[in-house]
Amino acid sequence: MRLFYLLAVLGASLIAAAATSLAGVSAVPKAWSAWVAVPSAWAGSAGIGLAIAYLVAAGEREPGRFFLGEARLGRIVWRFILVPYLGAAIPLVIVSRLVSRERLFDRVADRLYVGGAPLFWNQAAVLAGGIDTVLNLCVEFGDFSGLATTGRVAYRREGWLDGTAPTLGQYQQAVEWIVEQHRSGRTILVHCAQGHGRSALAAAGAMLALGLVPSPDEAARVLRAGRPTIRLHGEQRRLLDRWWSARS
């Protein structure tokens, strides 16, 4: 819920800034007021939209199904929300890829890799690594690498919000798909934006379901051994424990 409050306050502040600019009571020159107000209002609306998505997720609903599903309205709304966000997020991801010493993806178990979102110049590295199956858990990023269109990769996208846990239904669906692909002999890359939280959560469940580790604690240890930057935050770890307890 912290992200809900943060995004709601940020969105409301940007909308208020846009209103004061148009009203002529801000320090912005009148000739520039519309140029400042329109992007501010758009970014503020996007912030409110994202806040609502996090509020829906906190109520155990699945915003990704609305935003990524067949409903045309949902896809239009999500694109409207994402444009200001992606305007900041994409450059940050690109810069992090260029300056970080962290590998794009790491092996955490036999034929199972966890990593960040591949970009267009990472396509060759992913294919060279023997990966033939990709699960994208980003609700915010599509296939920036072009892997889905190569004809060489089984590609699936699930919409999980960043910084929080999916619903049990979303989680079970993702884990079952990874397990099915793994048992068919495929080599899988599970990725989110940076490869630290959402992807690790999905991989932990798959490792448990496949019998590769005996407990959530051991899954977390093995994941960190393979990719030290992995951190399951409170909501994610509680979901993993709850899911595993229901299966045991």
Side-chain angles (χ1 to χ4, degrees):
M1 289 296 287
R2 287 178 297 178
L3 284 170
F4 162 72
Y5 291 118
L6 176 63
L7 288 165
V9 170
L10 179 61
S13 299
L14 287 168
I15 291 172
T20 57
S21 178
L22 287 175
V25 296
S26 70
V28 178
K30 191 171 183 179
W32 291 90
S33 61
W35 293 97
V36 173
V38 171
S40 296
W42 190 355
S45 300
I48 295 294
L50 283 170
I52 292 171
Y54 276 95
L55 183 63
V56 169
E60 289 291 305
R61 302 291 295 276
E62 300 182 13
R65 179 170 294 177
F66 174 70
F67 293 133
L68 300 179
E70 295 301 320
R72 185 180 179 189
L73 175 62
R75 295 197 302 273
I76 293 172
V77 170
W78 191 238
R79 287 168 184 166
F80 173 84
I81 289 171
L82 277 187
V83 169
Y85 172 81
L86 292 178
I90 292 176
L92 286 175
V93 170
I94 292 173
V95 169
S96 72
R97 292 285 185 277
L98 294 173
V99 304
S100 175
R101 295 183 178 180
E102 182 180 36
R103 288 187 294 271
L104 175 63
F105 55 88
D106 290 289
R107 180 182 178 275
V108 295
D110 181 40
R111 292 184 288 107
L112 182 60
Y113 292 80
V114 166
L119 300 177
F120 66 91
W121 66 75
N122 300 129
Q123 183 187 113
V126 173
L127 295 174
I131 290 166
D132 56 14
T133 305
V134 174
L135 176 60
N136 175 4
L137 294 174
C138 298
V139 73
E140 69 274 27
F141 294 145
D143 179 28
F144 291 158
S145 65
L147 286 164
T149 61
T150 62
R152 299 170 59 185
V153 172
Y155 189 94
R156 182 183 178 104
R157 184 181 177 195
E158 296 281 348
W160 294 8
L161 288 167
D162 194 10
T164 189
T167 66
L168 273 173
Q170 285 179 301
Y171 189 61
Q172 180 66 29
Q173 188 175 39
V175 169
E176 286 178 353
W177 191 79
I178 297 170
V179 169
E180 178 185 348
Q181 299 302 312
H182 193 275
R183 285 178 174 162
S184 69
R186 304 183 74 92
T187 300
I188 308 140
L189 168 63
V190 184
H191 81 76
C192 51
Q194 298 292 348
H196 299 159
R198 290 171 286 183
S199 53
L201 177 60
M207 291 163 66
L208 285 161
L210 288 164
L212 303 177
V213 291
S215 67
D217 285 339
E218 183 63 11
R221 188 195 67 77
V222 170
L223 283 165
R224 284 195 299 269
R227 190 171 175 86
T229 51
I230 282 175
R231 292 290 182 274
L232 296 180
H233 64 67
E235 286 183 49
Q236 292 171 335
R237 180 55 198 261
R238 285 192 292 273
L239 175 69
L240 178 62
D241 289 339
R242 183 156 54 106
W243 173 83
W244 184 241
S245 296
R247 287 177 59 97
S248 302

